[in-house]
Amino acid sequence: MKALRGRRRVTVVLAVAVLPALMAGAAAADEALRVERRGIEGDPVSVSASEAFAADELHLRSDRRLSAYGTLRGDFSGALAGDDGRYRSGSVRRASLTWENDQAPVPFRVEAGDLSVDTSARTFNRSIDGASVLFRPRTTGPSQSMRLFSGSGEGGGSRYSGGRWRIEDTIVGAVSLSAIRYDGPAAEVPALEGINQDVGSLSWQRNLTVAGQRLSMEMEYGRFSGDYDAAGGHGHADTARFLALSGEGGMLPYDWRLSYERYGEDYRPAGADIPADQRITALQGGWRLAGGLAARARVRYVREALESDNPVDVRLTGLSLTGSMGPGDFSTDAFVSHREDELGEIERVTRALSANYVWQLIRHATLRAGLAGGMTRNRIEHSVTRHRRASIALDWRLWGGAWRASLSSVFAVRYEDGVIDYRGVRPTLGLSYVPGP
């Protein structure tokens, strides 16, 4: 609890520093009022609940020019709400300051507060409460950048430190080297002994043109060393591999992407959402049709629990279509997923369909509507779960002189029938304001 309170103190102190910067510069604001009514009933599990929940969220942003080449940027967000899993009453949810200078001997950008850090999908992709510095040295050869960071994770009981060095060359391509250190509690057994991890990766990306087709090649090799839980997951080492090849037609309106991923049983970095012990193969392709229509198909095959005695296979096939219809634009998506294991203990089939429509009513107003539904059939337990969702939204754009604003209202309803029945209604009202120079 001490670490958690410390994280809140840092955020609140930084919020006090951010607010004057926001007021001094050209500030922009977003505010959203959310009201939600939820009802849950369960059978045979004894679950029955109905509750109403409301929250008022505020987001402020500001940019202030310190010189012709230097900028100070502030960001603050908070919420007024009753205690809920997503909110704490009167909480400061995010506060950060950014200072950058493009004309320093070594151009840099310094950030402090609640930061979003992404070194790669297989090493680190998290929000931290800490500091980061990005250097972009001037060179006569390939362009380079280096980012170093350190901070605490969600809850304040863990610490991430690391960095990424990236080199971009017109002939070789882009090469990135990432290294991350994690010290903190185990996610599964937080009360026991803490864990330590070292994760690194080497990635490469190259664009080229072959026979009039634009191709992109991507590779990444990651290595994990350390612990991942306090109940026996100590002193492990494993690897991750990623390959992808994508292309676009030169004269023909198509694109495609083929990818392969494999993650070892013990490749479990705390700072990335990686599916350990899996092999993933995916193929997707799109074609732009006449009349502004575009179709995209995808096929995905996943083998989970790869190194176990009972691996699970997941096969997914999907199709989407976008374009114009009547006075507006539409998008639809449908997919079928089949999940089963080798021993015949799991077999589930999921089918889902969604559709969205956007219609500009008048110059200042846009109407958005969405429908979605689906079902999952468990062939082992002989049960079926169905879900349905509907939403409608109206966006108003306002302006006067140099300022701009938008007002959005959303009303959403969701139903789910199965072992546990769910009913939810969620109206939302949002306001966004951007002043002139």
Side-chain angles (χ1 to χ4, degrees):
M1 291 300 295
K2 290 183 179 179
L4 182 58
R5 288 196 295 268
R7 176 179 167 88
R8 290 180 189 145
R9 281 199 298 271
V10 171
T11 304
V12 172
V13 169
L14 191 60
V16 174
V18 168
L19 285 174
L22 290 171
M23 302 308 295
D30 293 294
E31 185 167 6
L33 176 63
R34 307 181 190 277
V35 180
E36 184 172 348
R37 179 76 182 182
R38 297 174 289 192
I40 302 175
E41 296 180 358
D43 184 27
V45 183
S46 178
V47 177
S48 180
S50 181
E51 59 178 331
F53 169 77
D56 187 27
E57 303 173 359
L58 177 66
H59 183 199
L60 301 175
R61 307 174 306 282
S62 176
D63 287 327
R64 185 180 184 186
R65 277 285 181 183
L66 302 178
S67 65
Y69 307 103
T71 303
L72 180 66
R73 182 178 301 111
D75 191 285
F76 168 85
S77 65
L80 293 175
D83 287 343
D84 184 87
R86 293 161 294 175
Y87 301 94
R88 183 171 296 275
S89 182
S91 63
V92 176
R93 300 178 61 200
R94 175 182 170 86
S96 65
L97 278 174
T98 303
W99 173 35
E100 55 184 323
N101 191 327
D102 295 334
Q103 290 300 311
V106 178
F108 65 88
R109 183 178 71 213
V110 178
E111 300 174 273
D114 291 298
L115 312 176
S116 178
V117 180
D118 183 1
T119 57
S120 79
R122 277 149 283 280
T123 54
F124 189 82
N125 186 356
R126 287 286 187 271
S127 294
I128 62 170
D129 192 350
S132 166
V133 57
L134 173 68
F135 297 103
R136 296 190 184 93
R138 297 186 181 90
T139 62
T140 56
S143 63
Q144 301 184 37
S145 66
M146 177 181 291
R147 185 180 189 183
L148 305 174
F149 66 90
S150 182
S152 59
E154 187 69 29
S158 58
R159 174 159 293 276
Y160 299 95
S161 301
R164 185 183 74 165
W165 179 30
R166 181 178 175 87
I167 302 176
E168 296 185 44
D169 182 79
T170 55
I171 299 177
V172 177
V175 179
S176 296
L177 180 64
S178 302
I180 313 296
R181 172 72 177 184
Y182 170 80
D183 300 285
E188 293 86 351
V189 194
L192 300 181
E193 180 184 354
I195 62 176
N196 310 106
Q197 297 181 357
D198 292 295
V199 183
S201 80
L202 177 65
S203 63
W204 172 75
Q205 191 267 335
R206 173 82 161 86
N207 297 326
L208 68 160
T209 301
V210 177
Q213 184 174 208
R214 296 184 294 273
L215 299 178
S216 177
M217 297 182 292
E218 302 171 64
M219 299 181 183
E220 184 171 5
Y221 176 82
R223 179 150 185 94
F224 170 96
S225 177
D227 321 322
Y228 53 80
D229 68 58
H234 283 274
H236 290 280
D238 221 322
T239 60
R241 297 174 178 86
F242 169 77
L243 300 170
L245 179 64
S246 57
E248 294 183 10
M251 300 299 294
L252 297 176
Y254 71 88
D255 65 271
W256 57 271
R257 179 180 175 86
L258 174 65
S259 62
Y260 171 84
E261 304 170 63
R262 193 188 192 286
Y263 304 102
E265 183 180 8
D266 295 318
Y267 190 86
R268 307 190 182 204
D273 297 318
I274 291 298
D277 201 16
Q278 288 194 17
R279 183 182 63 223
I280 306 170
T281 305
L283 173 64
Q284 59 176 303
W287 190 281
R288 294 182 296 279
L289 306 171
L293 295 177
R296 176 165 293 274
R298 62 190 185 276
V299 178
R300 182 181 174 93
Y301 172 65
V302 180
R303 168 154 281 205
E304 302 174 353
L306 188 62
E307 300 179 24
S308 73
D309 296 330
N310 186 25
V312 179
D313 293 326
V314 182
R315 298 181 296 276
L316 183 145
T317 304
L319 179 65
S320 62
L321 185 66
T322 61
S324 299
M325 183 175 65
D329 299 324
F330 76 94
S331 63
T332 61
D333 183 79
F335 73 86
V336 177
S337 174
H338 190 183
R339 180 186 183 91
E340 63 179 338
D341 65 345
E342 283 194 355
L343 299 182
E345 299 173 353
I346 299 173
E347 187 176 4
R348 290 195 295 269
V349 178
T350 299
R351 295 178 174 86
L353 176 66
S354 64
N356 296 279
Y357 192 76
V358 179
W359 178 17
Q360 185 168 336
L361 301 173
I362 57 177
R363 183 184 178 190
H364 309 290
T366 301
L367 179 69
R368 294 179 287 123
L371 293 172
M375 62 174 290
T376 298
R377 183 180 300 276
N378 190 323
R379 294 180 175 175
I380 303 298
E381 300 179 358
H382 304 289
S383 63
V384 177
T385 299
R386 295 179 175 86
H387 70 271
R388 300 174 298 280
R389 178 180 57 83
S391 65
I392 188 167
L394 185 62
D395 303 324
W396 288 90
R397 292 180 299 278
L398 311 170
W399 59 84
W403 62 268
R404 304 186 307 278
S406 64
L407 179 66
S408 299
S409 57
V410 183
F411 185 82
V413 181
R414 181 184 172 190
Y415 298 94
E416 185 169 324
D417 302 320
V419 177
I420 295 180
D421 295 336
Y422 174 89
R423 305 287 186 273
V425 179
R426 184 177 183 179
T428 302
L429 183 65
L431 176 65
S432 176
Y433 171 74
V434 179

